[in-house]
Amino acid sequence: MLKSKTFLKKTRAGGVMKIVREHYLRDDIGCGAPGCAACSGAHEGAVLESQPLDPPSSLCPQPHYLLPDTNVLLHQIDVLEDPAIRNVIVLQTVMQEVRNRSAPVYKRIRDVTNNQEKHFYTFTNEHHRETYVEQKQGENSNDRNDRAIRVAAKWYNEHLKKMSAENQLQVVFITNDRKNKEKAIEEGIPAFTCEEYVKSLTANPELIDRLACLSEEGNEIESGKVIFSEHLPLSKLQQGIKSGTYLQGTYRASRENYLEATVWVHGDAEENKEIILQGLKNLNRAIHEDIVAVELLPKNQWVAPSSVVLHDEGQNEDDVEKEEERELIIRAAVSEKMLKPTGRVVGIIKRNWRPYCGMLSKSDIKESRRHLFTPADRRIPRIRIETRQASALEGRRIIVAIDGWPRNSRYPNGHFVRNLGEVGDKETETEVLLLEHDVPHQPFSQAVLSFLPKMPWSITDMDMKNREDLRHLCVCSVDPPGCTDIDDALHCRELENGNLEVGVHIADVSHFIRPGNALDQESARRGTTVYLCEKRIDMVPELLSSNLCSLRCNVDRLAFSCIWEMNHNAEILKTKFTKSVINSKASLTYAEAQMRIDSATMNDDITISLRGLNKLAKILKKRRIEKGALTLSSPEVRFHMDSETHDPIDLQTKELRETNSMVEEFMLLANISVAKKIHEEFSEHALLRKHPAPPPSNYEILVKAAKSKNLEIKTDTAKSLADSLDRADSPTFPYLNTLLRILATRCMMQAVYFCSGMDNDFHHYGLASPIYTHFTSPIRRYADIIVHRLLAVAIGADCTYPELTDKHKLADICKNLNFRHKMAQYAQRASVAFHTQLFFKSKGIVSEDAYILFVKKNAIVVLIPKYGLEGTVFFEEKDKPKPRLIYDDEKPSLKIENTVFHIFDKVKVKIMLDSSNLQHQKIRMSLVEPWIPGISVPSDTSNTDINEPDKKKKKLEK
């Protein structure tokens, strides 16, 4: 049956176009109940159970299926995902509405419907002859959709009655809309709210905790006193932003002070780029990463950023007067030049809430169901939840979602989502740091895995099309020990004309991951492989990362090769790019490769190739440094794990060899060569990587620190910085140069991916290269896959596709990649911090030499070279007399009693694990030398006030 709508549309040219929309209605769409004779054979995909054995409901004792409306799906997805809820009919009308309103919920519901064990059935009611409804005149689309859902529920109940009498099934309509529920009951449809139904499942009381509390009445605090001003409606906010009364920006809460936040204003205006908010009422219920509208306060109300550390530790959850006292503390007297544009939040444009990890702060009131949840991320306010299992959740990591924040509540309301496990447990803490840094780490879905090649896999004649056979070359790979995802391999040989041929061969991942399929979409979403201390979260499934794409030795592998003809002075004479087949002759570690190069007795083909590469790499590096490339330093640590417990038993800084530098030089050269080629071919949509030059103010601390040691650091260009770092040597203090380079690294900007058509500045500051990209690690970086596709099209080895030449789509990909790379870095640091805590938990208290990196008003930040560990030594502690501190910002220096500390001074510190705060455990450092009475501690005594050195938390972000 065909329904059609005809309407007229005016074209841009002024003509009139007739548009006909056809809508097909069918009789052969199955209801999903397997025992239904009328629909047998019409079901596709997952079906409902013939006899639902759902948990018994006191409201609906007979076997039944559930049919939720759109709002239940949007707001109660945590309940629907619970294993106890099965046999749910999801209507096409509902799915379409959810898709339009929330992409994350739509993805979650798709995952649930694909799970065979859940028995969720998607019913195409919009194309079924008996359930399709047309919009009535004067009826809005919302009311039409509500009616369509009721029509489908009624049809289901009548349809299922036609099944055999003993198999009597009901369809229960679940809605939180009062009017919709009343209409359904009038029409004879069994209908309940989600809360009524969940509370009727007496065998599953824990489900009640997962209910989102939506109505703001009844969930507020008893006092009912209004704390916050009302948020303006979106229409008023948009008008205000347009007229310039309000500014739109991203709300960034402070980690150090819960009464302070900044808003980064969107747009290109230079003034008021960053607005400070101080005080609960001005923060007005905004949460970290929300998009907000702010109103600037008059200049006489502007404030300066606070230097006070304030954490919300109070138990009395609604003592607003106390908060007002604290607000006065942070507004210390400051000079006028310190004042910053200050504002208040007038409304929320877009909430960016996510599920939060943390711990329950159990209420002191006996039998209370209301408790406060403290998130692991200090930027998120505490959340009030109702739970009946508070005792069981104490000392455990849990996930909570926010439901809303009423005006008369000090904290937002939320609901319990799931229990992750015990605090301090390695698996639990790894899960927390992955969730908190938004690292996608679920196993790859069947839809993704279905696009992997079938095993056993071998290279076919079709694969050899547009590909060179380079299996005869003496290719080898050099990687860290234990590396299974080998992206790159190298070769070097002398040509008949006396020149050298050097090849960089990169895994041809884009051969296996085709544009637009589920595997490609998942790789793009993940963006990068994340390396934790004991775990690798792959960007692509293991079959590719550790097998078919990995350039292991003695197997044929597909590659993308960049081959240069060079003279012996490492000058490039010719460059060739080609898809290829290689067979690596050796998979070496950096140490093994170094041993071959240094050995007097080894002269085989692999060793000769490595020596040739090493010789050229030294020339390339020298030339790069002459151009102004920076050689910076950051202490990287390596844990030695116990083979049985997998706990860290030793912690050392990583040793770098010549071979590390050799591989790096050729990777850089390949990346630069490919960047030039793809930009030549695609000037508007090449994916490139740039590193902006830091603003001069970033270097202030480096210049002052060097000056305190009578050294001059010039920072006007990268070349002058590199040269002055090379000259900054002290015969009596050999580690000084490394410290200066570590400090210089902290002054740098973040390197980012961008689309060439959306930017004019391509320069890479750190490498002193006018153009750069990433080509050499496609197994672990999605950016490289896009670059491979661009290069393949440029050399005619593969065909293009629309998204590849759409600069706006490419800019969106870059935005996600930059976010994923930043989060991966933070997750890696958090993993190192956690394993460092485990190490010191088992090692106990130790004293070590350290160097001062930064001097603060009441503390020094030190680096311990032995462990590559950084930490803060505080000189002001609670319940102890305050020492006499004089801080000089110019030098910078800190005078404590009669001792003066400068940057790079050598000190001795005692290191221990502080477990007094279960959620935020940290490495605590105390001064041992120089000895300052009342401040320094003896190196050999154990500290008795560190409570239960047992559990831990994460995060050491810089």
Side-chain angles (χ1 to χ4, degrees):
M1 181 178 165
L2 177 67
K3 294 256 179 192
S4 64
K5 277 184 189 170
T6 307
F7 54 95
L8 302 174
K9 186 182 173 186
K10 200 171 184 181
T11 65
R12 274 186 178 173
V16 174
M17 188 163 64
K18 184 178 179 183
I19 294 176
V20 178
R21 285 234 173 105
E22 295 181 336
H23 191 90
Y24 291 89
L25 299 180
R26 296 165 54 171
D27 297 318
D28 60 348
I29 295 170
C31 67
C36 177
C39 301
S40 60
H43 307 135
E44 287 176 22
V47 292
L48 304 156
E49 288 178 295
S50 53
Q51 272 298 306
L53 300 170
D54 277 338
S57 162
S58 56
L59 286 174
C60 190
Q62 67 201 81
H64 56 274
Y65 301 134
L66 299 179
L67 192 149
D69 73 356
T70 307
N71 281 327
V72 169
L73 230 65
L74 280 169
H75 302 297
Q76 305 293 355
I77 182 72
D78 289 321
V79 172
L80 295 171
E81 283 178 333
D82 194 279
I85 302 293
R86 303 205 312 275
N87 295 295
V88 175
I89 297 158
V90 185
L91 299 180
Q92 181 191 1
T93 310
V94 171
M95 279 296 249
Q96 284 171 344
E97 279 197 283
V98 170
R99 187 178 191 171
N100 292 336
R101 285 169 63 183
S102 171
V105 175
Y106 179 70
K107 186 187 181 302
R108 285 169 74 180
I109 201 67
R110 284 290 301 271
D111 289 345
V112 174
T113 52
N114 289 333
N115 180 351
Q116 305 277 343
E117 291 169 15
K118 290 282 284 173
H119 299 284
F120 272 49
Y121 181 68
T122 311
F123 178 61
T124 321
N125 63 310
E126 295 289 357
H127 288 278
H128 193 289
R129 191 198 292 266
E130 293 179 50
T131 57
Y132 173 72
V133 299
E134 289 204 34
Q135 196 165 342
K136 292 178 181 174
Q137 208 166 352
E139 185 179 44
N140 66 31
S141 57
N142 206 24
D143 290 343
R144 180 260 168 209
N145 288 345
D146 284 348
R147 189 162 57 86
I149 295 166
R150 290 196 307 274
V151 165
K154 191 168 185 178
W155 174 85
Y156 252 106
N157 276 314
E158 287 168 1
H159 179 78
L160 293 177
K161 276 179 191 166
K162 295 172 190 170
M163 287 167 68
S164 58
E166 73 275 2
N167 201 3
Q168 200 63 69
L169 283 162
Q170 244 190 352
V171 167
V172 175
F173 179 39
I174 306 291
T175 178
N176 287 331
D177 183 328
R178 192 165 43 84
K179 284 183 183 170
N180 206 7
K181 183 187 163 191
E182 285 167 7
K183 284 181 184 173
I185 292 167
E186 277 170 32
E187 292 167 19
I189 304 163
F192 305 106
T193 66
C194 194
E195 192 172 344
E196 286 168 347
Y197 182 77
V198 166
K199 284 182 176 173
S200 78
L201 304 176
T202 47
N204 294 78
E206 75 285 349
L207 263 180
I208 299 169
D209 288 352
R210 301 188 77 164
L211 278 170
C213 48
L214 296 173
S215 68
E216 294 202 341
E217 312 121 287
N219 283 308
E220 297 102 340
I221 47 177
E222 281 69 19
S223 72
K225 181 184 169 190
V226 173
I227 303 169
F228 300 102
S229 56
E230 200 167 349
H231 286 153
L232 298 179
L234 197 57
S235 54
K236 278 197 176 168
L237 296 178
Q238 284 166 338
Q239 280 172 5
I241 289 163
K242 213 172 183 179
S243 67
T245 315
Y246 307 136
L247 296 165
Q248 175 179 325
T250 305
Y251 178 91
R252 301 269 163 82
S254 162
R255 251 195 200 89
E256 302 302 323
N257 185 342
Y258 74 101
L259 294 174
E260 185 170 280
T262 47
V263 171
W264 290 86
V265 178
H266 301 168
D268 301 323
E270 277 306 305
E271 60 167 355
N272 302 336
K273 194 77 188 141
E274 189 185 339
I275 294 170
I276 282 193
L277 313 174
Q278 264 185 13
L280 270 188
K281 289 176 182 173
N282 290 339
L283 302 181
N284 197 5
R285 298 172 288 155
I287 289 171
H288 184 64
E289 292 294 346
D290 283 350
I291 308 294
V292 297
V294 289
E295 178 182 50
L296 270 180
L297 296 174
K299 278 201 171 178
N300 61 359
Q301 292 179 36
W302 285 15
V303 297
S306 162
S307 56
V308 179
V309 176
L310 271 187
H311 293 147
D312 184 7
E313 309 285 5
Q315 262 317 111
N316 186 353
E317 53 184 80
D318 298 308
D319 194 346
V320 178
E321 284 74 20
K322 201 65 158 284
E323 306 292 3
E324 286 167 1
E325 280 174 39
R326 289 184 137 199
E327 283 170 26
L328 293 173
I329 298 171
I330 63 176
R331 291 181 190 173
V334 285
S335 65
E336 208 159 299
K337 68 171 187 177
M338 300 279 284
L339 298 177
K340 293 272 174 77
T342 307
R344 68 183 188 97
V345 171
V346 291
I348 309 290
I349 291 159
K350 183 174 181 274
R351 285 289 194 192
N352 273 327
W353 296 343
R354 59 179 176 84
Y356 301 103
C357 300
M359 291 178 72
L360 200 66
S361 308
K362 199 171 162 223
S363 171
D364 294 337
I365 304 163
K366 215 175 174 192
E367 302 299 316
S368 172
R369 287 180 179 175
R370 278 191 187 170
H371 307 274
L372 278 178
F373 162 83
T374 306
D377 187 341
R378 289 193 188 272
R379 294 169 300 189
I380 308 300
R382 294 154 112 197
I383 301 162
R384 183 185 291 105
I385 68 166
E386 283 199 29
T387 177
R388 287 148 186 77
Q389 42 181 335
S391 301
L393 295 177
E394 259 195 304
R396 298 184 80 76
R397 293 278 193 188
I398 62 172
I399 297 180
V400 162
I402 297 178
D403 301 323
W405 195 340
R407 287 176 62 197
N408 55 355
S409 170
R410 168 67 183 83
Y411 296 110
N413 293 326
H415 65 272
F416 168 76
V417 176
R418 70 186 166 106
N419 181 347
L420 291 173
E422 198 177 332
V423 172
D425 174 73
K426 211 181 297 182
E427 288 298 311
T428 304
E429 295 302 335
T430 301
E431 177 79 357
V432 167
L433 75 87
L434 291 170
L435 288 167
E436 281 298 293
H437 294 96
D438 197 8
V439 174
H441 60 286
Q442 267 58 46
F444 290 98
S445 69
Q446 277 310 120
V448 169
L449 298 174
S450 67
F451 286 97
L452 292 174
K454 302 290 171 274
M455 296 300 285
W457 174 85
S458 60
I459 297 169
T460 64
D461 292 342
M462 190 64 187
D463 294 335
M464 291 304 296
K465 200 178 162 201
N466 297 327
R467 204 175 276 280
E468 265 190 65
D469 191 340
L470 302 179
R471 283 176 281 201
H472 60 286
L473 293 176
C474 184
V475 171
C476 67
S477 63
V478 185
D479 290 282
C483 177
T484 59
D485 52 344
I486 303 170
D487 284 290
D488 52 88
L490 300 156
H491 88 271
C492 175
R493 61 173 182 166
E494 196 158 338
L495 298 171
E496 287 174 4
N497 62 8
N499 290 330
L500 297 169
E501 178 187 84
V502 175
V504 166
H505 310 276
I506 306 298
D508 189 3
V509 182
S510 64
H511 174 84
F512 296 96
I513 300 181
R514 303 309 296 163
N517 68 24
L519 177 56
D520 182 45
Q521 287 170 358
E522 182 60 19
S523 306
R525 185 173 80 90
R526 294 184 178 219
T528 179
T529 292
V530 181
Y531 295 91
L532 305 180
C533 293
E534 266 199 290
K535 197 174 184 178
R536 190 178 82 200
I537 315 293
D538 280 327
M539 180 185 82
V540 299
E542 196 178 7
L543 178 67
L544 296 182
S545 67
S546 295
N547 187 351
L548 302 185
C549 291
S550 185
L551 305 180
R552 304 187 305 187
C553 60
N554 303 320
V555 286
D556 292 349
R557 286 290 177 260
L558 302 179
F560 209 146
S561 300
C562 175
I563 299 168
W564 303 279
E565 185 178 328
M566 292 182 177
N567 60 24
H568 286 265
N569 199 24
E571 288 160 337
I572 298 168
L573 308 172
K574 276 186 204 161
T575 306
K576 180 174 85 172
F577 304 103
T578 179
K579 291 240 179 179
S580 60
V581 181
I582 64 163
N583 187 305
S584 172
K585 304 298 180 275
S587 296
L588 306 172
T589 64
Y590 290 116
E592 287 165 350
Q594 192 66 54
M595 194 185 72
R596 279 172 175 266
I597 291 167
D598 298 340
S599 165
T601 55
M602 295 184 84
N603 283 304
D604 57 286
D605 289 350
I606 294 167
T607 307
I608 291 165
S609 175
L610 286 169
R611 284 183 189 139
L613 289 165
N614 197 37
K615 189 179 159 199
L616 292 169
K618 285 178 180 175
I619 301 168
L620 288 168
K621 185 171 185 176
K622 186 167 176 275
R623 196 172 296 149
R624 235 175 13 88
I625 289 167
E626 279 165 8
K627 279 187 187 169
L630 297 171
T631 313
L632 299 177
S633 179
S634 66
E636 281 193 67
V637 296
R638 184 175 194 87
F639 291 95
H640 293 271
M641 300 293 183
D642 184 296
S643 57
E644 285 180 21
T645 63
H646 296 283
D647 283 340
I649 48 175
D650 198 7
L651 174 60
Q652 293 174 339
T653 47
K654 285 184 185 173
E655 188 187 341
L656 294 178
R657 295 179 169 83
E658 250 183 29
T659 43
N660 292 73
S661 178
M662 175 189 84
V663 172
E664 185 187 6
E665 284 309 314
F666 287 108
M667 296 307 116
L668 294 175
L669 191 62
N671 287 335
I672 291 167
S673 297
V674 170
K676 287 176 183 167
K677 178 69 177 174
I678 61 171
H679 184 247
E680 228 171 75
E681 292 289 328
F682 307 105
S683 59
E684 284 293 293
H685 42 258
L687 190 153
L688 302 174
R689 188 164 174 83
K690 67 171 180 175
H691 182 216
S697 59
N698 279 30
Y699 285 128
E700 275 178 18
I701 186 76
L702 176 68
V703 173
K704 283 178 183 176
K707 199 175 173 187
S708 73
K709 294 287 179 237
N710 300 316
L711 295 169
E712 188 186 13
I713 297 285
K714 291 189 171 156
T715 60
D716 42 337
T717 65
K719 173 87 176 119
S720 57
L721 173 64
D723 290 346
S724 51
L725 281 172
D726 286 342
R727 286 194 299 271
D729 249 339
S730 166
T732 56
F733 187 2
Y735 196 65
L736 177 64
N737 193 265
T738 305
L739 286 169
L740 281 166
R741 290 181 195 275
I742 289 169
L743 207 52
T745 308
R746 306 293 168 87
C747 302
M748 294 299 143
M749 306 289 282
Q750 189 77 37
V752 289
Y753 296 111
F754 69 102
C755 170
S756 59
M758 308 288 272
D759 209 321
N760 301 321
D761 176 24
F762 293 7
H763 192 76
H764 196 293
Y765 179 80
L767 297 172
S769 175
I771 192 164
Y772 192 65
T773 193
H774 272 163
F775 164 76
T776 54
S777 296
I779 296 177
R780 60 186 177 91
R781 291 190 304 233
Y782 188 75
D784 303 52
I785 293 178
I786 296 286
V787 169
H788 275 228
R789 289 174 182 168
L790 287 163
L791 184 61
V793 175
I795 64 169
D798 206 343
C799 49
T800 186
Y801 59 99
E803 284 80 8
L804 194 64
T805 51
D806 181 334
K807 63 182 182 182
H808 296 287
K809 289 258 169 70
L810 212 53
D812 287 342
I813 288 172
C814 289
K815 189 179 173 186
N816 178 57
L817 292 178
N818 290 329
F819 171 72
R820 292 291 182 211
H821 276 260
K822 186 170 73 177
M823 286 298 129
Q825 266 183 327
Y826 289 163
Q828 283 155 0
R829 285 178 199 170
S831 180
V832 168
F834 174 51
H835 280 79
T836 306
Q837 289 170 2
L838 286 180
F839 171 70
F840 283 107
K841 181 180 166 183
S842 60
K843 194 163 178 68
I845 298 170
V846 295
S847 295
E848 291 294 345
D849 286 339
Y851 294 99
I852 299 175
L853 272 186
F854 300 102
V855 175
K856 303 280 184 185
K857 284 182 184 174
N858 62 345
I860 53 172
V861 178
V862 299
L863 175 76
I864 297 157
K866 181 176 175 181
Y867 299 126
L869 178 67
E870 200 177 302
T872 306
V873 179
F874 288 100
F875 296 121
E876 287 180 339
E877 289 191 52
K878 274 184 195 170
D879 314 322
K880 285 193 179 178
K882 286 193 174 180
R884 210 157 33 90
L885 301 176
I886 302 167
Y887 175 68
D888 182 346
D889 188 33
E890 280 310 301
K891 283 204 172 70
S893 69
L894 179 67
K895 187 175 182 183
I896 305 169
E897 303 300 339
N898 297 314
T899 308
V900 182
F901 291 101
H902 295 94
I903 293 184
F904 303 147
D905 283 359
K906 190 176 182 180
V907 294
K908 193 167 197 174
V909 294
K910 187 162 82 170
I911 313 160
M912 67 200 99
L913 179 66
D914 180 353
S915 304
S916 54
N917 180 333
L918 273 184
Q919 174 140 263
H920 296 107
Q921 290 193 45
K922 55 183 179 283
I923 300 291
R924 186 160 145 183
M925 296 189 184
S926 314
L927 190 69
V928 174
E929 289 171 16
W931 180 260
I932 303 171
I935 298 284
S936 301
V937 294
S939 61
D940 54 347
T941 61
S942 62
N943 198 317
T944 52
D945 69 352
I946 305 298
N947 306 335
E948 40 173 63
D950 184 40
K951 321 272 182 176
K952 83 117 242 162
K953 205 270 164 193
K954 39 175 243 11
K955 213 170 280 186
L956 202 121
E957 286 180 17
K958 289 279 172 278

